[in-house]
Amino acid sequence: MISFELTEEQRLAQTMAAQLARSTLRPAARDADEHLAIPPSILKEIWATGIVQSQAGAEATRSATLNAILLEELAVAGASFAIAAAAPIGFLSAIASQGSDAQKKALLPLFAGDSYQSAAVAIVEPDFAFDVSAIRTAAVKTTNGYRLSGIKGPVPLTRYCSHFLVVARFEDRLQAFIVERDAKGVIIGEKRPNIGLRALETATVTFDNVEVSIGVRLGEFAGCDVQWIVDSARTAFAAIMTGISRAVMEFVIPYTKERVVHGAALAQKQVIAFRLADMRIETDAMRWMTWKAAAILEKGGDATRQAQLACTYAREQAMWIVDEGVQMLGGHGYLRDNPVEMWYRDARTVSALEGVVGV
Amino acid sequence: MIDFELTAKDREIINLAREQGKIAQRYASYYDRHENELPPEQFPEAKNLPNPLDLAEHASDSSGARILHSLVMHEIYGGGIALHRSRWGLGNAVLNTVATPEQVEKWKNHTIAIAITEPGAGSDPANIRTTATFDRETDEWVLNGEKIFISQAESSDAAMVFSRFVDADGQRGMTTFLVEKGTPGFTVGPQLRKLGIRSHDTCNLLFENCRIPEFNHIKGNFKSTMTVFNDSRPMVGAMALGVARAALNFTREMLIQSGIQIDYRGGIRSRSAIADRFLKLEATFEAALLTVLRSKWLEQQDVPPKVEASIAKAAGGKAARKITQGCVELLGPEALAEDHPLDRCFRDGRIFDIYEGAGEIQRLIIARSILDYTSRDLR
């Protein structure tokens, strides 16, 4: 039955996330971008929301829709912060939904601790021709397990990662392998800051003939549905791009009302007012598309089409919105004193990624 | 709980509307080419088939009457013309909202068109020049003016005319009059020659010293009369997207037949430019349809969706333009023929961002709301 109704629990969690985003996360966003790292105190706050740990609990507490709602709120404060939560969510939700019982039992409890920790879904490869349909990293069967070789990246927050979920070509299809960070042949490259999401300390991770045991293939002998992981990631990115778009809109509304040009507030000029109206239309639409994809995932349905459409739409609209946001502030929009230039960089970076996150 | 799955009942009624849409296509095509002929009050096939709009209104276990109604309307517009013709005009909605019980009683079975737009007053009814002056000697109103782009102009029994007035005491203001067909001085012009929606009955109306009894004065508050449009805006979005979806479905079919698959799994480097563009048009469709559902869902929660109604209308209108234009471009020269289904979608699809408040008017409403501006702050 078609409904946009949030449950009481979802409403409460949304309010709390919004509160945290406003009071604590937003003020820390610029510094994190400048200093190329999320401060431990902020990671602690994100961890304290429980959003990551709830993925590891009993089946009933995982909710893709709730995750989408919360990721939007976190992204209003900063996309890097949202991804700091969405990356381990991506890993854990993949384990919880696709893993074997043994894998769930072994891995999920590891994420129940009190301090921030991560694990990354490694899909993207540092290659201009990269596409999820053309992954080069390969796994081959060995006597005792598998041998992985390839390069992944950018991978966020590698410092905090205990595991990587490596998507590789295996016997003519894509499969995922749970690789411990300390495994022999796993080489974490130098941190390499990107245009945006600079606080995420991204690096490439090389898998140089990494020998792994038979039990690490996600889903073990049954294997897994890598497309599910991609769909979940696209839904999470759509939620994050909705959050960035909202941040821009909420920032430029008061600015354009205050700023007087040729005797009238900018916002009183239709050319500006209409673009603000379009920001609202598109941000709404992005959110509903995200919710729809998340709701399908939550019900265990096939969300591939919906996740693709949500992400494709959000990419285009979010970039348009940040671009107009910079423009509306004029020269001020170009200065690092204002957050819009950061959102401009973040939006382009988010929209170029695949994998990494999840709902 | 957030959910976007249709119920079994929703699907049943929507499928019924879709099937009827297929039957209606033949008529849509005929009346597209014969714009001066009025479609009959009832198409023969409609006699033995239930009207899905009525079913949507009374269905239990549906996603709600407002939501289902909009989705049924969406299907009907996919067919191009309603198999079940509606007798009622927006003028009936005004009558039912603001008229006295005696007036409702008298005209409840009339088809009443609404007449607002004038050569110099479209989106801005404050510019209306049609004027009614009270004649003390006969207790009648004398109406003079011209109304244009009037839907159901020829098929209606009467028109609800928005007009200025000068009463017996010289007081001025805006009001509405119900003018019956056949009243001396009331002339209906020929069918307008339109780009599309040619099966729609659209003419201009002329009032020359047209004398109307005082009883026909519908003394509604102008503002409450305009709320009729709050309900109809998201519906126009749903209708626009019905045409857009017909274009998308046809284009997808043709692309697949030509060996171009639409694959939702890969990323942007996995597909052709044509497939990528199609996918973006499809995303535009989804985005707009969800804003319609949002607005309709709010209506069901008894939250008056003013901004959301405008969002749905603006998004649907724009999506129909982009999608129908895009589909013709995607299919290329083969889609240009006039006997081609895309031809009508392309022409019909252009109206929805114009009528019932152009996209710009919706953006004014949205902008005023998010900026907390009055209509004086943002003109």
Side-chain angles (χ1 to χ4, degrees):
Chain A
M1 183 192 305
I2 292 173
S3 171
F4 292 77
E5 183 88 67
L6 271 64
T7 63
E8 198 49 44
E9 183 205 352
Q10 288 171 336
R11 208 188 305 275
L12 212 66
Q14 184 189 38
T15 309
M16 276 167 55
Q19 171 68 24
L20 175 72
R22 217 177 9 252
S23 64
T24 311
L25 303 185
R26 171 66 73 79
R30 172 59 72 178
D31 258 14
D33 178 75
E34 298 267 331
H35 293 110
L36 301 170
I38 303 177
S41 63
I42 294 295
L43 288 173
K44 200 175 161 188
E45 294 278 2
I46 292 170
W47 195 258
T49 60
I51 175 177
V52 177
Q53 300 92 308
S54 67
Q55 312 311 309
E59 189 80 16
T61 67
R62 278 197 311 118
S63 162
T65 320
L66 178 59
N67 289 341
I69 291 167
L70 298 182
L71 290 179
E72 177 186 331
E73 296 302 329
L74 297 180
V76 173
S80 292
F81 301 149
I83 292 175
I89 291 174
F91 178 84
L92 291 172
S93 61
I95 303 293
S97 79
Q98 307 269 316
S100 66
D101 286 343
Q103 288 167 342
K104 286 187 223 176
K105 212 175 265 176
L107 290 164
L108 297 181
L110 300 180
F111 289 79
D114 291 332
S115 54
Y116 181 84
Q117 61 185 115
S118 193
V121 177
I123 290 184
V124 185
E125 298 176 350
D127 180 341
F128 291 119
F130 166 78
D131 194 272
V132 283
S133 61
I135 280 174
R136 297 193 181 193
T137 298
V140 291
K141 187 88 185 61
T142 61
T143 335
N144 300 320
Y146 306 95
R147 186 186 307 122
L148 287 170
S149 49
I151 307 175
K152 293 291 182 181
V155 178
L157 300 166
T158 50
R159 180 146 61 108
Y160 299 95
C161 287
S162 54
H163 297 78
F164 301 108
L165 185 62
V166 182
V167 173
R169 197 155 285 287
F170 175 70
E171 290 175 351
D172 288 335
R173 61 173 179 146
L174 291 178
Q175 285 294 285
F177 298 85
I178 306 154
V179 182
E180 285 180 20
R181 170 209 176 82
D182 298 330
K184 189 161 173 278
V186 175
I187 305 155
I188 296 177
E190 291 289 303
K191 279 191 251 172
R192 189 178 174 202
N194 296 303
I195 293 174
L197 306 176
R198 281 160 46 96
L200 288 178
E201 309 184 50
T202 60
T204 53
V205 181
T206 303
F207 298 89
D208 181 10
N209 291 306
V210 177
E211 301 280 350
V212 289
S213 71
I214 199 90
V216 307
R217 179 174 163 200
L218 186 60
E220 297 196 54
F221 293 111
C224 72
D225 178 9
V226 166
Q227 190 64 46
W228 186 93
I229 299 170
V230 173
D231 297 345
S232 171
R234 285 178 180 158
T235 307
F237 279 135
I240 291 166
M241 289 187 273
T242 307
I244 299 175
S245 302
R246 228 182 80 200
V248 173
M249 179 173 71
E250 289 171 0
F251 190 83
V252 294
I253 285 174
Y255 178 84
T256 53
K257 284 184 79 173
E258 272 168 35
R259 173 76 184 188
V260 173
V261 181
H262 298 303
L266 265 184
Q268 284 181 295
K269 298 170 194 298
Q270 286 193 348
V271 72
I272 298 295
F274 283 13
R275 276 186 257 180
L276 292 171
D278 278 319
M279 286 183 182
R280 169 65 195 271
I281 295 171
E282 302 306 353
T283 308
D284 269 23
M286 271 186 251
R287 181 180 309 111
W288 315 140
M289 289 177 93
T290 306
W291 285 13
K292 186 170 174 184
I296 296 171
L297 281 170
E298 189 164 329
K299 279 188 167 181
D302 179 356
T304 301
R305 174 176 172 272
Q306 202 58 45
Q308 170 73 264
L309 295 181
C311 197
T312 297
Y313 198 75
R315 269 192 201 121
E316 197 148 293
Q317 299 306 327
M319 200 61 223
W320 177 79
I321 288 171
V322 288
D323 185 46
E324 291 296 340
V326 169
Q327 190 69 16
M328 283 183 192
L329 263 73
H332 298 288
Y334 203 69
L335 292 186
R336 298 211 299 278
D337 299 342
N338 279 309
V340 285
E341 66 80 30
M342 182 171 67
W343 296 331
Y344 181 73
R345 291 183 285 109
D346 284 353
R348 182 74 297 168
T349 310
V350 171
S351 66
L353 294 173
E354 287 265 27
V356 182
V357 290
V359 287
Chain B
M1 203 187 87
I2 294 167
D3 187 20
F4 294 91
E5 206 175 329
L6 296 170
T7 68
K9 196 67 178 175
D10 292 338
R11 277 199 301 274
E12 180 194 321
I13 296 174
I14 288 167
N15 283 337
L16 191 89
R18 188 170 299 171
E19 289 310 311
Q20 294 189 11
K22 285 180 194 156
I23 300 170
Q25 272 177 16
R26 191 160 57 84
Y27 294 113
S29 173
Y30 178 86
Y31 288 100
D32 181 52
R33 278 174 280 130
H34 298 84
E35 61 187 329
N36 291 321
E37 284 180 40
L38 284 185
E41 275 193 19
Q42 193 181 42
F43 289 124
E45 289 89 341
K47 252 180 241 166
N48 302 316
L49 293 169
N51 185 344
L53 284 173
D54 294 339
L55 296 179
E57 225 42 75
H58 306 293
S60 51
D61 301 321
S62 77
S63 287
R66 301 331 307 148
I67 286 177
L68 188 51
H69 195 264
S70 70
L71 288 173
V72 165
M73 202 58 131
H74 172 70
E75 295 298 334
I76 290 173
Y77 270 71
I81 194 168
L83 197 60
H84 292 271
R85 318 268 309 136
S86 169
R87 279 200 54 212
W88 312 117
L90 277 174
N92 290 90
V94 174
L95 183 83
N96 296 334
T97 314
V98 299
T100 65
E102 295 75 23
Q103 290 173 323
V104 173
E105 185 55 34
K106 176 161 184 191
W107 290 300
K108 65 180 182 197
N109 289 320
H110 282 56
T111 301
I112 309 168
I114 198 164
I116 304 176
T117 305
E118 297 185 2
S123 298
D124 184 8
N127 279 345
I128 283 176
R129 291 286 165 265
T130 295
T131 305
T133 312
F134 196 71
D135 182 348
R136 227 182 251 276
E137 290 183 11
T138 59
D139 260 7
E140 283 172 327
W141 293 90
V142 183
L143 190 65
N144 278 289
E146 188 186 359
K147 294 288 176 184
I148 63 170
F149 309 157
I150 307 308
S151 293
Q152 294 170 299
E154 200 175 330
S155 52
S156 59
D157 307 308
M160 189 67 77
V161 182
F162 282 51
S163 169
R164 297 186 169 277
F165 72 85
V166 183
D167 70 12
D169 308 320
Q171 296 281 341
R172 290 162 186 274
M174 294 285 270
T175 191
T176 43
F177 294 96
L178 188 142
V179 190
E180 289 183 35
K181 288 280 181 68
T183 309
F186 174 15
T187 326
V188 178
Q191 288 292 328
L192 297 177
R193 291 157 39 79
K194 302 188 292 286
L195 168 67
I197 57 162
R198 294 185 189 169
S199 64
H200 286 235
D201 163 15
T202 323
C203 311
N204 297 344
L205 311 180
L206 193 63
F207 302 95
E208 295 166 299
N209 291 321
C210 178
R211 291 185 161 265
I212 310 161
E214 167 61 18
F215 184 78
N216 292 33
H217 189 186
I218 312 290
K219 292 176 196 163
N221 163 327
F222 194 69
K223 223 173 179 172
S224 67
T225 309
M226 294 307 274
T227 60
V228 167
F229 289 100
N230 281 352
D231 306 330
S232 65
R233 277 176 183 148
M235 201 55 98
V236 175
M239 286 149 48
L241 293 166
V243 174
R245 210 197 51 193
L248 276 176
N249 283 348
F250 185 77
T251 303
R252 183 203 306 273
E253 217 172 284
M254 291 301 110
L255 289 178
I256 290 172
Q257 275 183 27
S258 311
I260 299 169
Q261 295 295 327
I262 311 299
D263 184 352
Y264 301 99
R265 293 169 297 174
I268 56 167
R269 277 168 294 276
S270 72
R271 51 184 177 254
S272 70
I274 295 292
D276 190 60
R277 268 211 244 174
F278 181 85
L279 206 138
K280 281 179 179 159
L281 293 177
E282 202 181 348
T284 302
F285 169 85
E286 275 286 328
L289 188 62
L290 286 168
T291 66
V292 171
L293 294 177
R294 169 71 178 182
S295 180
K296 286 288 159 188
W297 179 78
L298 286 173
E299 262 180 56
Q300 289 179 179
Q301 313 306 303
D302 298 322
V303 184
K306 194 173 177 198
V307 180
E308 287 80 3
S310 285
I311 287 174
K313 166 76 170 69
K318 186 171 140 198
R321 288 163 69 176
K322 271 179 82 168
I323 290 166
T324 54
Q325 292 161 14
C327 285
V328 173
E329 192 187 21
L330 279 181
L331 291 187
E334 250 314 278
L336 297 178
E338 270 192 23
D339 58 4
H340 204 282
L342 264 190
D343 166 69
R344 187 165 44 76
C345 291
F346 176 72
R347 290 179 289 106
D348 286 359
R350 192 61 187 83
I351 190 59
F352 304 100
D353 208 25
I354 299 173
Y355 70 9
E356 290 210 41
E360 288 70 19
I361 299 306
Q362 308 309 327
R363 282 171 180 78
L364 264 182
I365 293 168
I366 299 162
R368 282 172 190 154
S369 164
I370 62 177
L371 288 161
D372 197 16
Y373 274 167
T374 63
S375 52
R376 198 178 293 245
D377 295 330
L378 183 63
R379 292 163 192 266

